[in-house]
Amino acid sequence: MAIDRANVEKIIKAVGGADNIEAATHCVTRLRFSLADEKKVDHKLLEQNDLVKGHFSSQGQFQVVIGPGLVDKVYDEMIAITGGQRSSKDEVKKAAAKKQNPLQQAIKTLADIFIPILPAIVTAGLLLGINNILTGPGIFFEGRSLVQEYPAWTDFAGIINLIANTAFTFLPALIGWSAATRFGGSPLLGIVLGLILVHPDLLNAWAYAQAAQEGKIPHWNLFGWQFEKIGYQGQVLPVLVSAYLLAWVERFLNKKVHDSIKLLVVAPVALLVTGFLAFTIIGPVTFAIGNAITNGLVHVFNTLPALGGILYGGIYALLVVTGMHHTFLAVDVQLIGSKGGTFLWPMLALSNIAQGSAALAMLLVFREQKSKGLAVTSSVSAFLGVTEPAIFGVNIRYKYPFIFGMIGSAIGGLVLTINHVLASSIGVGGIPGFLSIYPNQWGVFFVGMAIVLVVPFLLTAFYGKVASRKAGPADTNNESAPVQASSGTAATNETAATAAVSEAAPVVPAGKAVNVLDIQAPLAGVVVPLENVPDPAFAERQMGQGIAIDPSDGKVVAPFDAKVVHIIKSKHAIILEHATGVQVLIHIGINTVSLKGAPFTLHVGIGDEVKAGQLLIEFDREAILQARLPVITPIIIPDGQPIVGRITEEPAGAKVAGRDIVLKIQLSPQGI
């Protein structure tokens, strides 16, 4: 297919001209730009371009969705017009990262460090919750705990407590591993550094306060220089700064030391230098800074608990939208380690429930079954602690549910903070979150939970109904009208996207002969609606209709008898064409283009004829997850196919295997 050069020139003009393009590359679906100034982008001009399916900005990259099969041609034409150099994905990513301000870079760094260790921390929190139920007095018996009434359960609770406490006791080792990896050092040395900081020969950090009162803090004497011989259990800053230094020293030595003696020099010198500085300078300074921060927060919330609760409870959902919520994970961990509990995490749990409640209320506002289903599934996800589907899929798109969720969360936060509710650990941030709350404070927490369930639900449902009546029947029954998304592009639901396909080929009239193409699941796993895919190009259906599958294994098979018409160089995406002309894009994971093909093994080539169920690609699911990338796989029917009529999707949450049908495409008469 020939590309209209004029439209490519308009794309260049819309992104601010050739001089505004610092670097540009493409993947299987979109152009990726690092722009000198994103304010120069002409969004209106992009939206008027026939080649452009959508556009958005993410992590410093401006992305223009073109669609599979065309994007490489558009990119080639753009390079020919601008005379620019071809850039790799890494080059564009690095150029984009440079434009992030220091706060954005710090937040991203903290997220990169703490997200990989989050499963261990959450697991520990849930197990501590079970231990709280067994050992908390007054839950089942007045003034006494379950283990006091039934002593046979004492050791059982003790084993659970030991397993749960391990992640917090050796937290510096977990942070050391993740931080060293993030800073470009050896993960193993990061683990060793973390363990050094909590060595049993050191005074336990949790016993520091009592030892200080008694004047029994042990000291090291280094040629007359005395410094405290203490560990850093539950501390975040000492190991973060030390891991950065360790990675820097290791990288420096790797450049300077000859390969023949690296094993004998690099690791020992890096650990010795970092270890000495950690105990003499980094540890004492960051220990004091960390304690000052936590003491300051505690003072504010003790002095003005109502204001603190309203502000943090109210704005937490906004922190999720901006990504800044990752910053407070470190604060929670620090509070638990140094003060024995965190007052921030209980408000997080209520904020998640509030956004879920607001999304659920949209069930009463929506008219379409698809939208109703999204409201239910996304709210359930939020009630279980994962709010992104509710926030990005429903609440922000319609604005008022998001605002009412924040209002309910602010009221709930007020109730918690004036009653000084604390969490002893970090667990699942939704309804199961009560397990992490100290048992004697469950009553207050449940009151807060009732508030965030009822207030956002009632406000959203009432406002939505009133707004629907004012809009009139024509508007209330047409949810396909574009809603401005947070990325600045028009987000549409299933009706709008289906209508866009049907403009090219009307749905086959009732009573006429039809031909339905069944598309089998190319992967085994759980069906996920496109709205829940963490990528606007797919979630907003900018490229077409379809579904996504969260895979349970690493095999992609042909969904029907087809011809392989395109395989992206990095092997993470493939396009198949049916005999009717219908094309299907299978895109393994999100942003997996950055892996440069490493986890993927191809079993077919471009031009091959394949049979339904034939193995196409194998991929290492764990390698993708370890690279901190989503493995969720969209299956897309690209827009602009004239033979496609209505598309029926398998409901979200369904478990599918290789022969299960996940999409049914009703072909127009031209395709019969």
Side-chain angles (χ1 to χ4, degrees), residues 176-198:
W177 162 75
S178 190
T181 304
R182 171 62 179 79
F183 296 135
S186 166
L188 181 60
L189 292 184
I191 294 173
V192 174
L193 173 65
L195 293 174
I196 288 172
L197 296 177
V198 293

Side-chain angles (χ1 to χ4, degrees), residues 554-556 564 567 571 574 600-606 608 610 614-619:
K555 294 183 179 180
V556 178
V564 180
I567 300 174
K571 299 183 285 189
I574 187 170
F600 306 99
T601 302
L602 287 175
H603 293 278
V604 294
I606 296 175
D608 287 357
V610 297
Q614 180 177 334
L615 182 63
L616 304 176
I617 303 174
E618 287 185 284
F619 61 94

Side-chain angles (χ1 to χ4, degrees), residues 15-323:
V15 297
D19 293 339
N20 198 40
I21 301 173
E22 293 183 341
T25 187
H26 74 91
C27 60
V28 71
T29 59
R30 68 202 75 173
L31 300 172
R32 295 171 179 258
F33 295 97
S34 172
L35 301 178
D37 185 1
E38 283 195 14
K39 294 178 182 177
K40 293 182 179 180
V41 174
D42 188 336
H43 298 277
K44 201 169 189 179
L45 187 58
L46 278 175
E47 289 161 7
Q48 293 170 349
N49 196 311
D50 293 336
L51 288 174
V52 177
K53 303 290 195 303
H55 57 87
F56 58 94
S57 181
S58 176
Q59 295 183 342
Q61 291 185 34
F62 189 78
Q63 304 184 27
V64 178
V65 181
I66 304 296
L70 287 180
V71 66
D72 50 347
K73 298 174 184 177
V74 172
Y75 180 74
D76 290 342
E77 189 70 28
M78 183 183 71
I79 294 298
I81 293 171
T82 62
Q85 291 185 340
R86 294 176 179 271
S87 302
S88 68
K89 278 80 177 178
D90 288 340
E91 288 170 340
V92 173
K93 191 174 181 180
K94 287 178 182 177
K98 290 177 183 177
K99 295 196 295 293
Q100 291 182 318
N101 62 46
L103 178 60
Q104 290 173 320
Q105 291 177 3
I107 291 170
K108 185 179 184 303
T109 299
L110 282 175
D112 290 343
I113 291 171
F114 279 95
I115 288 176
I117 67 174
L118 198 55
I121 296 174
V122 169
T123 300
L126 288 174
L127 291 176
L128 283 173
I130 297 172
N131 179 70
N132 288 342
I133 292 175
L134 295 173
T135 60
I139 300 176
F140 302 103
F141 306 97
E142 187 174 352
R144 291 174 62 80
S145 67
L146 187 67
V147 295
Q148 287 175 321
E149 287 291 320
Y150 300 99
W153 287 89
T154 302
D155 288 341
F156 180 78
I159 292 173
I160 291 177
N161 188 54
L162 184 146
I163 296 171
N165 266 320
T166 298
F168 289 105
T169 300
F170 298 102
L171 181 66
L174 297 178
I175 297 175
W177 162 75
S178 190
T181 304
R182 171 62 179 79
F183 296 135
S186 166
L188 181 60
L189 292 184
I191 294 173
V192 174
L193 173 65
L195 293 174
I196 288 172
L197 296 177
V198 293
H199 195 282
D201 285 353
L202 304 171
L203 173 67
N204 191 302
W206 293 312
Y208 178 82
Q210 183 177 349
Q213 275 187 338
E214 297 173 356
K216 296 181 179 179
I217 298 176
H219 286 76
W220 266 311
N221 190 323
L222 195 62
F223 306 109
W225 180 14
Q226 288 197 346
F227 48 92
E228 295 176 339
K229 188 179 178 182
I230 62 172
Y232 295 97
Q233 291 86 353
Q235 295 288 319
V236 172
L237 285 178
V239 69
L240 278 179
V241 177
S242 298
Y244 177 82
L245 175 64
L246 175 69
W248 185 88
V249 173
E250 184 187 0
R251 293 198 310 271
F252 175 80
L253 292 174
N254 274 323
K255 292 178 183 177
K256 302 295 182 182
V257 177
H258 194 273
D259 289 346
S260 61
I261 58 171
K262 275 186 178 179
L263 184 63
L264 299 175
V265 174
V266 175
V269 173
L271 276 176
L272 276 173
V273 171
T274 307
F276 269 94
L277 289 174
F279 286 123
T280 58
I281 298 174
I282 296 172
V285 171
T286 54
F287 185 72
I289 293 172
N291 284 337
I293 292 172
T294 53
N295 289 336
L297 278 171
V298 170
H299 177 73
V300 169
F301 274 84
N302 284 340
T303 307
L304 301 168
L307 181 60
I310 291 173
L311 287 178
Y312 190 77
I315 68 169
Y316 184 79
L318 272 178
L319 297 177
V320 172
V321 173
T322 62

